[in-house]
Amino acid sequence: MSYRVCLVCLGNICRSPMAEVVLRKTLADHGLGDLVVVDSAGTGGWHQGDPMDRRASAVLTEYGYDGSAHRARQFLASWFGEVDLVLAMDVDNLRVLRRLAPAGADVRLLRSFDPAAPRDAEVPDPYYGGRAGFTEVLEMVRAASEGLAKHLATTLR
């Protein structure tokens, strides 16, 4: 049985799909690809079925990642029965998820796994900015993904 992680932002077209792609590769690089299933979703549903934002996809491609298969989805409360760890990109989405979560659900901020970041650090929404914001998001999710991979390597083995 696999350990399941779901990364969540607002619309599931920028931050959380970037984090999904990066975390999946990071886990594979750490030999955990067969143990952990990674996906993503948004707390809002207005982008359901849409591909990743073109700017997010372009930054991923530039750094050797492939986000072309992504299609946006909305996080549903019923998923808590199937997901072991839910990681929000920011405090607003964390609050939404915690309101949906049953008692005992593991819901945290993604950057809480980045040892160089404060425990309450957020991944800012790059949607209304330029390319630099997407590159910054990539750097943040890469650091947090490394920390999460190290955490899961000790937890799951």
Side-chain angles (χ1 to χ4, degrees):
M1 189 141 172
S2 297
Y3 187 86
R4 297 186 62 93
V5 177
C6 187
L7 300 138
V8 183
C9 67
L10 187 59
N12 193 220
I13 60 168
C14 296
R15 297 172 288 173
S16 60
M18 289 179 78
E20 174 187 353
V21 169
V22 170
L23 179 58
R24 189 175 290 129
K25 173 140 181 13
T26 303
L27 291 169
D29 291 348
H30 283 264
L32 298 168
D34 293 337
L35 299 175
V36 183
V37 175
V38 181
D39 63 11
S40 65
T43 55
W46 52 91
H47 289 294
Q48 285 190 98
D50 291 347
M52 188 182 307
D53 181 282
R54 61 179 170 68
R55 299 163 296 172
S57 182
V59 167
L60 284 175
T61 299
E62 180 181 329
Y63 286 87
Y65 299 96
D66 180 8
S68 63
H70 176 76
R71 293 298 175 264
R73 327 180 292 153
Q74 183 175 10
F75 189 90
L76 302 175
S78 62
W79 295 4
F80 279 108
E82 303 166 10
V83 177
D84 298 291
L85 177 61
V86 179
L87 297 171
M89 298 298 119
D90 59 52
V91 173
D92 290 337
N93 286 295
L94 181 67
R95 281 187 203 110
V96 170
L97 291 164
R98 286 187 171 159
R99 280 196 301 268
L100 295 173
D106 197 355
V107 184
R108 309 181 202 188
L109 288 170
L110 171 64
R111 290 195 67 204
S112 67
F113 287 97
D114 179 351
R119 303 270 315 151
D120 61 350
E122 299 178 298
V123 177
D125 192 345
Y127 187 79
Y128 293 105
R131 179 173 169 62
F134 290 88
T135 303
E136 178 184 36
V137 165
L138 178 62
E139 292 168 6
M140 290 176 182
V141 300
R142 285 170 99 175
S145 293
E146 281 294 327
L148 179 55
K150 289 174 184 172
H151 169 77
L152 291 176
T154 59
T155 304
L156 299 177
R157 289 192 175 153

